[in-house]
Amino acid sequence: LKWCCPTTCGAAAVMPIHGVSGIPGIPSPDVVGNGTLLRWEEAMRRRVDAGKLPGFASCVIHKGAVVHVAEHGFADMETRTPFTIDTIVRIYCMTKTAVAVGILILMERGLLQLTDPVSKYIPRFASLYVVKHGNATSEVAARSPNVAKKFTILRLLTHTAGVGYGASFGFKASGGHERMYEPLLTAVDSGKFSTLEDFCNELGELPLRYKPAKDLNYSMGHDVLGRIIEVVSGQTLDVFFQKELFKPLAMNDTSFCVPVRKASRLAALYGDRVRAERMTEFSGKHSELLHRRKTAFCRIDGNTPGDSNWIKGSHCKVFSGNGVLGNNTGGLVSTLSDQARFHTMLLNGGVLGSHRILQASTVERWCFQDLLPLPGVRGKRKRTGIEWSGWTALGQRGMKRMKRDPKPSSDDYEEGEVGMGGAATTIWSINPVRDQVTLFFAQTLDGDTWRPDHSTSAGMKASSENFVVAARAAAGRDAAAAAGRRKSLSFGAPPGSC
């Protein structure tokens, strides 16, 4: 099968559907191809050709083997560079997953405990109070108790420590929490901070937005976790990642910046005109590529790859474990190929080939189970199964729906599935019940990745472009078999072996 791409300006580009293709370091099955995934790929290619998405790359991994890879469209619409599994992309909040694994590595070695207070490693967090009310910027109530002992590593991992989030991507600070963090993030953009230590020391001077353990509030607490990794390991976060994760897993294109020699492989970042104008105004950088239509894809992070905030020399000096700092900087860049190896390692119970990163028991306990009910987190389950009601060290966990819960969308996480993503459409999922990893990468901040569910006479129906539905159809639920496969791999190389 082949499709003609009308966005190439001139002669149509013939791009064959290649179904399964290899990802170095991950086995491929003897039987190639899956009808459901091939039909999904056809539909998604039509969506790209219709101008709904510049380009994408995706893969499905089942039982530790690649069963489908798709690539289509452009990573850079201006230079017509194809989007592939080796396109370098900004992964934003996917950086948090690497930080979480780093913390678990240090825990296994006995160098920290997840219940340790942060102040044990960063003294600036030894005196912590909670803001007086939600609209307060930094005011705390009289006789407010010091909650530093409750401000722990485990609560940072599960977003229950009480940290908030600042504004980014050109949004103006609104509400007490964003206004409180605004001077800190502005200092990042201005280059005031040269290290993660500098940033976290300033963050430690601010109050918390919520009481620790009260609830799950998605936050930038992983910047603090990144600094703890630095303190405990005695290495900067980039060096630790390279030694413990990137080198063993052959993640050769994953870093906090893009070398100049690789600039042509960096995808352009796109958003709609409204966002592009807002970000251009915020940064003061003129964009020559603002389109007239509000829905058009406007280039945001520089007019050329060499203008990007992630190019070495122009990159953020604060290695953000959170994934983004300031207006649009910080966090890791990576490729789908690199992230496929990383997530397959986790699907396998902490091992990929001869390289064991984590013990299988660590992955089962901390990466696949809901941690919110633990006494050291919230101490109780949420009385609902909707989104954000379960959390692991890696990210959100799908929970069993309650009778009173609304019916889930077809692409909501199902029970047992763990996943998250980055702001520019870098989506990942590990499903230990189906023994499956799914990855979908693009570089857009606005618009629907695929058409949402739509109403029919028979009820709600998923679109043919829905990646989640297609991937689930390719792998049945069999938790016992999946756990058995992980167990069979647990007798392989010891942690830290190369």
Side-chain angles (χ1 to χ4, degrees):
L1 293 170
K2 56 189 178 183
W3 294 89
C4 293
C5 179
T7 60
T8 54
C9 303
V14 177
M15 299 183 180
I17 290 179
H18 49 276
V20 175
S21 70
I23 293 179
I26 306 176
S28 294
D30 294 331
V31 179
V32 175
N34 177 282
T36 301
L37 288 168
L38 287 173
R39 287 190 293 274
W40 165 79
E41 185 178 348
E42 293 177 33
M44 201 67 200
R45 283 170 168 253
R46 287 193 293 267
R47 183 170 180 81
V48 171
D49 294 347
K52 303 297 184 181
L53 194 69
F56 74 94
S58 66
C59 75
V60 177
I61 295 159
H62 185 223
K63 297 181 179 179
V66 179
V67 296
H68 189 83
V69 171
E71 304 167 325
H72 192 61
F74 298 115
D76 189 318
M77 297 176 72
E78 286 70 42
T79 63
R80 296 191 291 176
T81 303
F83 207 121
T84 75
I85 62 173
D86 292 318
T87 294
I88 298 174
V89 299
R90 306 151 194 81
I91 64 172
Y92 292 115
C93 284
M94 283 183 75
T95 307
K96 292 181 172 73
T97 313
V99 169
V101 171
I103 288 289
L104 294 176
I105 288 172
L106 298 176
M107 179 203 71
E108 284 191 347
R109 295 175 185 171
L111 298 176
L112 59 77
Q113 296 183 42
L114 298 188
T115 52
D116 286 341
V118 171
S119 58
K120 181 177 179 179
Y121 307 98
I122 311 176
R124 287 290 184 95
F125 289 92
S127 181
L128 276 181
Y129 302 89
V130 181
V131 292
K132 189 174 183 179
H133 52 76
N135 288 326
T137 51
S138 58
E139 302 85 4
V140 298
R143 296 188 296 276
S144 178
N146 185 353
V147 296
K149 290 184 178 179
K150 296 181 179 180
F151 188 70
T152 65
I153 294 173
L154 183 54
R155 288 189 172 123
L156 284 173
L157 278 172
T158 54
H159 300 278
T160 57
V163 183
Y165 232 118
S168 57
F169 300 116
F171 282 102
K172 293 182 179 180
S174 63
H177 66 291
E178 290 186 353
R179 290 197 304 270
M180 186 183 83
Y181 294 123
E182 185 176 22
L184 191 64
L185 299 181
T186 299
V188 172
D189 282 324
S190 69
K192 177 182 176 181
F193 302 131
S194 59
T195 65
L196 185 56
E197 178 182 10
D198 294 339
F199 177 81
C200 287
N201 282 340
E202 289 295 317
L203 181 63
E205 297 294 322
L206 299 175
L208 297 180
R209 299 307 307 177
Y210 317 96
K211 292 180 180 178
K214 183 178 180 181
D215 208 349
L216 188 159
N217 291 282
Y218 196 61
S219 75
M220 57 183 186
H222 281 62
D223 286 323
V224 182
L225 291 174
R227 176 57 188 157
I228 291 174
I229 289 175
E230 293 187 332
V231 172
V232 174
S233 69
Q235 301 169 322
T236 55
L237 189 58
D238 61 329
V239 172
F240 176 87
F241 278 165
Q242 180 63 30
K243 178 182 177 182
E244 303 291 347
L245 293 176
F246 302 160
K247 185 176 180 180
L249 297 175
M251 298 171 66
N252 299 324
D253 294 314
T254 304
S255 176
F256 282 102
C257 64
V258 180
V260 174
R261 70 180 187 278
K262 294 184 180 181
S264 62
R265 292 175 51 203
L266 176 64
L269 179 65
Y270 294 103
D272 63 26
R273 182 179 174 84
V274 173
R275 184 188 293 273
E277 288 177 335
R278 186 172 62 233
M279 291 181 69
T280 297
E281 179 183 359
F282 184 95
S283 66
K285 293 182 180 180
H286 173 67
S287 174
E288 300 173 358
L289 301 169
L290 285 178
H291 298 176
R292 291 183 178 181
R293 291 191 300 116
K294 288 187 177 182
T295 56
F297 294 113
C298 300
R299 193 174 190 128
I300 291 172
D301 182 27
N303 294 319
T304 68
D307 297 332
S308 169
N309 290 336
W310 275 265
I311 294 296
K312 188 172 183 178
S314 301
H315 68 285
C316 182
K317 304 305 184 291
V318 179
F319 300 135
S320 174
N322 173 55
V324 63
L325 280 176
N327 180 45
N328 181 34
T329 189
L332 291 170
V333 292
S334 189
T335 65
L336 186 136
S337 183
D338 280 4
Q339 290 299 313
R341 287 186 287 277
F342 177 79
H343 287 83
T344 301
M345 174 273 294
L346 291 167
L347 179 71
N348 289 345
V351 65
L352 184 67
S354 62
H355 301 280
R356 179 163 288 282
I357 307 299
L358 292 171
Q359 295 182 28
S361 58
T362 297
V363 175
E364 294 290 340
R365 180 181 182 186
W366 299 107
C367 300
F368 293 164
Q369 303 303 317
D370 178 26
L371 303 180
L372 296 184
L374 295 179
V377 185
R378 290 186 73 240
K380 57 184 177 180
R381 293 185 182 277
K382 291 212 168 192
R383 288 186 275 183
T384 178
I386 60 174
E387 288 187 298
W388 302 87
S389 60
W391 208 268
T392 75
L394 301 180
Q396 188 176 170
R397 183 185 189 273
M399 302 298 290
K400 183 178 180 180
R401 294 278 171 151
M402 305 299 180
K403 288 184 178 179
R404 64 178 177 275
D405 290 337
K407 189 175 181 180
S409 298
S410 61
D411 52 6
D412 284 350
Y413 296 121
E414 64 178 8
E415 186 178 1
E417 183 180 12
V418 179
M420 277 303 291
T425 317
T426 54
I427 304 166
W428 67 269
S429 161
I430 302 172
N431 196 322
V433 179
R434 295 184 186 272
D435 206 358
Q436 185 183 70
V437 162
T438 59
L439 294 164
F440 183 99
F441 279 18
Q443 282 289 271
T444 56
L445 292 167
D446 301 294
D448 292 328
T449 306
W450 48 76
R451 287 177 296 158
D453 295 353
H454 58 280
S455 179
T456 70
S457 58
M460 298 301 291
K461 183 179 179 181
S463 78
S464 58
E465 304 156 357
N466 191 313
F467 181 51
V468 175
V469 171
R472 286 175 185 165
R477 291 177 63 87
D478 192 338
R485 189 184 70 84
R486 291 193 295 274
K487 186 177 181 180
S488 71
L489 297 171
S490 66
F491 301 105
S497 63
C498 295

